[in-house]
Amino acid sequence: MTEQELLSAATEAVVAANEEKACEVAREAVSLGLDPLRVINEGFTPGMREVGDLFERGTMFLPEVILASEAMVAAVAILEESLPADQREKTAGSVVLGTIEGDVHDIGKGIVATLLRVYGFEVHDLGRDVPLTSFVEKVAETGADLVGTSALMTTTMVGQKALEKMLKEAGLRDQVKTMVGGAVVTQYWADKIGADAYAENAQEAVAKALELAQG
Amino acid sequence: MSTYKVRAGDGRFISMTADEIRRDLIEGSEDAADRGGIPPLEENEIDRLLDLFLDQAGVVGVQIGNQVVSTQDGGDHRINADAGSCGLALAIGRIQELHLHERAFGQDTIELGHIDYSYKAVRPIVAQEQSYVEHALLTTTSPLMYGAMPNLGLYYAPDGPYANPSDLLPAGKVKEALAAQEEASLHAQRDIVYVGTRLADSGLDAMNLDTSGSAGDADFLASLNAAEELKAKRPDLGIEMGMASEFVLGMHGRLSYKGERLAGMYPHDQVRMAEAAGVDVFGPVVNTNTRRSTPWNVARAVCFVKACVQAANIPIHANVGMGVGGIPVLDTPSLDAVSRASVAMVEIARVDGL
């Protein structure tokens, strides 16, 4: 297998959510003495990007995305063993996530949590109907880069505004970026309450989170 | 250059030129065509939509003779209850609310529904709902429907007996998440069929399986299986199936009905499944993008619904309300947007009702 063929095989293994094949490709890359970072960045990562695109297009679904992610994680673990410690993959960032107090809708929030993990974030999912004080406490405890809140009702979205104030009062607002989402939440609302980002759907939430975490 | 006031998807008024509106109409239609694998709107249809948005009247309507029927969903608590984000909290009872819908608002069907609006919540109090059905039938003449949601979310922890896929999937417990959804789907089917047969025995005209698919493909499957079973048990009971969104979310991903995978289906495929289950009226939903204009959203919604109507052999009653059918996300949907979307649904998508 040439290097190019191996990179293609890595991509295909992730898209097929085939953990066994992904690990086999990773082991072969190590045995051929290929640059592990190149195999990760040009083989496995494009596969995960394609998975994200297929999810966005509605031709690949959440359970398959998770299996694809597990395939990639297992393969990357093999490749990382041959990397110096300082070059090993770090998390993309740390996120505190939850559905705002009074709101029990958590399907969309759960999808966002899953995709954030898939893209390498450390996710502290507080669940649903989460008291505002719990968000503040978790941000303080973890030193998270981002806090994301979901609201599906006009009666609960006001909690997102209150959280902005509470984070300021706790002296944490300058250290953490805020993201808002949910069926009734809009860009206009995010701008109005001073949130750092709004995402229309889970895929966009990941893109915005990556942007904020790098920024 | 002249500008025209239109709504943004979040309800604000924005100003656009005629060229900008036309561009958004074309892009909205093309987005639906691209996602759904369906034809975009024809040029003359774009022209008609453009006319609707360049007309700055507060309310627009269809020509006399082109009116369609309107079915009402959401139960009998729009007027007598205050749900925080909707409802008027008038001090009237449930039956009086039905009278208002029938006699003051001119709805073509009226709908009873429990305040929780979920079949699971109705099951333990179905005897009380039966008495409301009987009282309503004695004092109304419109077809009487009973509406509620399959609402699979209520079957998962902490509200129900099955582990929550929203907890299991992020934890990587894929097999357990799939099993929980399969069990919850069967449980919801049993509840819907139980409630449906009891209400049919009290003389109910039709059931409304509203927001089908809200918790993904297992939720949609529960609705389809329940509709099929109800039709077999009570053939005279009408069934309307309203959807939760334009796209069946693959929370499970591998569930099928009549050999077809449900995840990823758009309205023109959803309606074929509903027909196969014996559904009598189908209510497609197309979601509003709050960052795009109403012209973009209406063109997109009409494009999806037109394909649904063309694929259907049963009446199509498109959902046009807050956040769906091209309508902005506002607690009280604005009449200017609702009337334009409604006209477009009737004249271009050729829906049978709203």
Side-chain angles (χ1 to χ4, degrees):
Chain A
M1 194 183 280
T2 65
E3 186 170 355
Q4 196 51 50
E5 284 170 345
L6 188 136
L7 294 175
S8 299
T11 304
E12 285 164 18
V14 172
V15 175
N18 188 336
E19 185 173 333
E20 197 179 323
K21 180 69 181 169
C23 291
E24 190 185 310
V25 172
R27 278 191 288 270
E28 188 165 350
V30 172
S31 72
L32 290 172
L34 300 180
D35 176 7
L37 276 182
R38 183 161 180 234
V39 178
I40 293 171
N41 293 331
E42 296 177 29
F44 290 107
T45 302
M48 212 54 229
R49 207 173 296 130
E50 191 175 336
V51 166
D53 289 344
L54 291 170
F55 179 76
E56 166 76 8
R57 299 288 307 167
T59 52
M60 195 165 183
F61 302 100
L62 200 57
E64 296 160 311
V65 172
I66 293 163
L67 293 173
S69 153
E70 287 178 349
M72 167 139 177
V73 167
V76 168
I78 292 168
L79 291 165
E80 280 189 339
E81 281 174 16
S82 55
L83 275 176
D86 63 339
Q87 286 185 34
R88 289 184 189 172
E89 197 178 343
K90 297 180 180 69
T91 64
S94 168
V95 187
V96 171
L97 201 65
T99 306
I100 212 90
E101 187 168 5
D103 204 322
V104 296
H105 301 87
D106 64 354
I107 290 172
K109 184 269 300 165
I111 295 172
V112 172
T114 303
L115 287 191
L116 285 172
R117 285 197 179 99
V118 164
Y119 279 83
F121 282 91
E122 181 187 353
V123 179
H124 305 279
D125 186 354
L126 303 183
R128 60 186 192 161
D129 193 11
V130 179
L132 299 180
T133 51
S134 299
F135 286 104
V136 178
E137 286 163 11
K138 199 68 182 175
V139 169
E141 175 197 327
T142 60
D145 304 299
L146 305 167
V147 56
T149 55
S150 168
L152 268 84
M153 301 191 293
T154 51
T155 47
T156 57
M157 64 194 281
V158 290
Q160 294 174 323
K161 184 179 177 184
L163 181 61
E164 292 285 333
K165 187 167 174 250
M166 289 170 71
L167 287 167
K168 277 182 196 154
E169 286 169 356
L172 296 167
R173 186 60 185 90
D174 293 337
Q175 304 162 31
V176 69
K177 302 286 186 188
T178 58
M179 288 179 63
V180 292
V184 296
V185 177
T186 64
Q187 181 67 56
Y188 177 70
W189 171 249
D191 294 341
K192 189 176 169 186
I193 67 172
D196 294 303
Y198 157 76
E200 184 91 14
N201 53 48
Q203 199 62 30
E204 190 180 325
V206 171
K208 291 280 178 74
L210 286 167
E211 203 174 292
L212 289 174
Q214 285 160 9
Chain B
M1 191 177 287
S2 298
T3 59
Y4 300 85
K5 281 196 185 307
V6 297
R7 297 269 181 180
D10 63 7
R12 288 171 299 126
F13 271 120
I14 53 175
S15 293
M16 298 176 79
T17 65
D19 285 347
E20 287 169 340
I21 294 173
R22 174 179 280 279
R23 186 201 62 208
D24 268 18
L25 291 168
I26 292 169
E27 285 181 10
S29 159
E30 286 177 348
D31 187 72
D34 180 42
R35 285 177 182 272
I38 53 177
L41 296 176
E42 307 278 346
E43 195 172 341
N44 64 320
E45 294 168 333
I46 296 288
D47 289 343
R48 175 61 185 129
L49 287 175
L50 183 62
D51 286 344
L52 280 173
F53 285 102
L54 297 187
D55 181 345
Q56 293 287 277
V59 179
V60 297
V62 296
Q63 297 290 304
I64 293 170
N66 289 345
Q67 299 98 322
V68 297
V69 296
S70 64
T71 50
Q72 177 243 340
D73 65 15
D76 54 82
H77 297 282
R78 293 291 189 208
I79 297 167
N80 64 34
D82 180 359
S85 59
C86 60
L88 301 175
L90 296 190
I92 60 170
R94 297 175 69 184
I95 302 296
Q96 287 74 40
E97 174 153 345
L98 294 183
H99 292 166
L100 277 177
H101 280 288
E102 178 184 76
R103 297 168 201 178
F105 306 151
Q107 299 275 183
D108 297 295
T109 67
I110 47 176
E111 183 177 294
L112 268 172
H114 179 251
I115 186 72
D116 191 86
Y117 208 53
S118 300
Y119 283 107
K120 183 187 174 199
V122 176
R123 182 178 179 126
I125 51 120
V126 71
Q128 185 181 15
E129 295 304 85
Q130 282 181 282
S131 69
Y132 273 109
V133 166
E134 288 159 17
H135 291 151
L137 287 169
L138 289 171
T139 58
T140 59
T141 53
S142 302
L144 178 68
M145 307 180 77
Y146 191 91
M149 307 181 290
N151 197 359
L152 229 56
L154 282 185
Y155 294 86
Y156 302 131
D159 300 313
Y162 307 108
N164 197 323
S166 291
D167 297 329
L168 296 170
L169 286 173
K173 296 179 179 174
V174 175
K175 276 185 191 168
E176 293 88 338
L178 302 187
Q181 292 177 71
E182 289 159 18
E183 289 175 308
S185 186
L186 290 171
H187 198 149
Q189 179 189 339
R190 289 197 296 274
D191 286 349
I192 296 168
V193 171
Y194 177 81
V195 169
T197 50
R198 292 286 297 268
L199 297 180
D201 293 343
S202 289
L204 183 74
D205 296 309
M207 292 274 283
N208 178 15
L209 307 181
D210 201 5
T211 72
S212 291
S214 64
D217 43 354
D219 192 297
F220 188 30
L221 183 64
S223 263
L224 293 167
N225 282 330
E228 184 177 343
E229 193 178 339
L230 269 172
K231 271 293 176 188
K233 288 186 169 168
R234 299 291 185 276
D236 292 335
L237 180 69
I239 297 179
E240 176 169 354
M241 182 178 286
M243 294 304 292
S245 68
E246 70 205 28
F247 176 75
V248 178
L249 194 62
M251 285 297 284
H252 186 292
R254 295 169 192 166
L255 294 174
S256 61
Y257 182 73
K258 307 287 184 196
E260 291 194 54
R261 182 159 89 157
L262 297 175
M265 280 190 172
Y266 283 97
H268 56 286
D269 287 323
Q270 296 163 8
V271 71
R272 290 189 298 101
M273 297 293 98
E275 274 184 37
V279 166
D280 300 289
V281 176
F282 183 72
V285 161
V286 181
N287 308 95
T288 294
N289 183 327
T290 57
R291 283 185 301 196
R292 302 304 301 254
S293 68
T294 302
W296 187 91
N297 279 299
V298 169
R300 185 174 182 275
V302 167
C303 186
F304 270 127
V305 174
K306 181 186 166 194
C308 177
V309 170
Q310 288 176 343
N313 296 301
I314 56 175
I316 300 299
H317 290 192
N319 279 272
V320 280
M322 173 180 163
V324 297
I327 311 296
V329 178
L330 277 178
D331 276 354
T332 303
S334 53
L335 208 50
D336 54 286
V338 173
S339 62
R340 280 168 177 78
S342 300
V343 169
M345 287 293 178
V346 173
E347 292 188 352
I348 297 170
R350 304 282 181 189
V351 296
D352 304 282
L354 298 168

